[in-house]
Amino acid sequence: GAGVSQSPSNKVTEKGKDVELRCDPISGHTALYWYRQSLGQGLEFLIYFQGNSAPDKSGLPSDRFSAERTGGSVSTLTIQRTQQEDSAVYLCASHKTVGSPLHFGNGTRLTVT
Amino acid sequence: EDKVVQSPLSLVVHEGDTVTLNCSYEVTNFRSLLWYKQEKKAPTFLFMLTSSGIEKKSGRLSSILDKKELFSILNITATQTGDSAVYLCAVLYNTDKLIFGTGTRLQVFP
């Protein structure tokens, strides 16, 4: 596709359930980032993948959060045993080369009830 | 701790006014500073600044970086209602880590 694609665009889940958020980066982009944006807040870094290197997981807020990137392309962010404080917009972004601007997807709005 | 701080948090102006948005940073191994505009969903790229003192300009928007004082400003002249958005500053550092400030929410009224 022409841009970064995220699905679903909206997800409502009950507290305690697991959720999976998907990101399909721009073809050929080797780097992929996940950010979280709570209402009225800036972007909080979660995790970063670059090619075949080990991901930088330093931003994941707890061990309930994990992410994978299969085949160097699609990424899935998994949140286990969701809590109400996990409610936010989860944004994925990719870029082609180190230092080039990020291209963002439209995000997944997660609401935990 | 690596951080990016933006000010003001919020700004309300009338059409035609000029605004200056500020971004300061403290990171190790700075590489570049980026500005994004976020309206409803995905942030859209505005500028990337790598060198001090060189102004980047696009229409009514311009930005400059001071690597000695560790800050950048984003200027918008002759503001329009379509400029209303959250403006995000981000810093790329170390190998390829990008962190964002909390953003400045700009509201432009007719």
Side-chain angles (χ1 to χ4, degrees), chain A residues 33 35 37 48 58 99 102, chain B residues 36 38 42 48 96-98:
Chain A
Y33 296 76
Y35 290 90
Q37 189 172 33
Y48 158 61
S58 60
L102 289 181
Chain B
Y36 285 84
Q38 186 178 28
M48 183 165 73
D96 202 11
K97 192 160 182 176
L98 187 71

Side-chain angles (χ1 to χ4, degrees), chain B:
Chain B
E1 181 190 351
D2 300 310
K3 61 182 179 182
V4 177
V5 179
Q6 292 187 245
S7 65
L9 293 180
S10 181
L11 197 51
V12 179
V13 301
H14 289 287
E15 273 191 320
D17 289 349
T18 292
V19 297
T20 298
L21 310 183
N22 304 291
C23 175
S24 63
Y25 60 91
E26 284 183 38
V27 300
T28 51
N29 301 317
F30 172 89
R31 296 178 62 119
S32 60
L33 185 145
L34 299 92
W35 285 96
Y36 285 84
K37 178 182 181 181
Q38 186 178 28
E39 294 180 83
K40 291 190 176 174
K41 291 189 175 179
T44 54
F45 171 74
L46 295 175
F47 298 111
M48 183 165 73
L49 303 154
T50 308
S51 302
S52 269
I54 298 175
E55 186 183 54
K56 292 279 183 91
K57 197 169 172 65
S58 176
R60 296 176 294 102
L61 278 67
S62 64
S63 184
I64 197 161
L65 174 67
D66 185 328
K67 289 167 72 173
K68 183 179 176 185
E69 301 297 328
L70 308 183
F71 79 92
S72 173
I73 60 172
L74 175 68
N75 279 320
I76 309 175
T77 58
T79 50
Q80 302 172 356
T81 55
D83 296 327
S84 297
V86 174
Y87 290 84
L88 297 165
C89 173
V91 171
L92 183 71
Y93 66 107
N94 285 338
T95 49
D96 202 11
K97 192 160 182 176
L98 187 71
I99 56 170
F100 284 79
T102 53
T104 293
R105 180 174 296 277
L106 174 65
Q107 293 177 279
V108 182
F109 287 99

Side-chain angles (χ1 to χ4, degrees), chain A residues 9-13 19 21 79 82 86-90 108-112:
Chain A
S9 55
N10 281 285
K11 176 74 176 177
V12 180
T13 190
V19 295
L21 314 181
I79 309 173
T82 51
D86 299 334
S87 296
V89 175
Y90 290 81
T108 294
R109 181 175 296 279
L110 175 66
T111 304
V112 182

Side-chain angles (χ1 to χ4, degrees), chain A residues 9 26 32-33 35 40 49 77 84 86 96 108:
Chain A
S9 55
I26 294 172
L32 186 149
Y33 296 76
Y35 290 90
F49 296 89
L77 177 69
Q84 288 186 329
D86 299 334
K96 191 171 186 178
T108 294

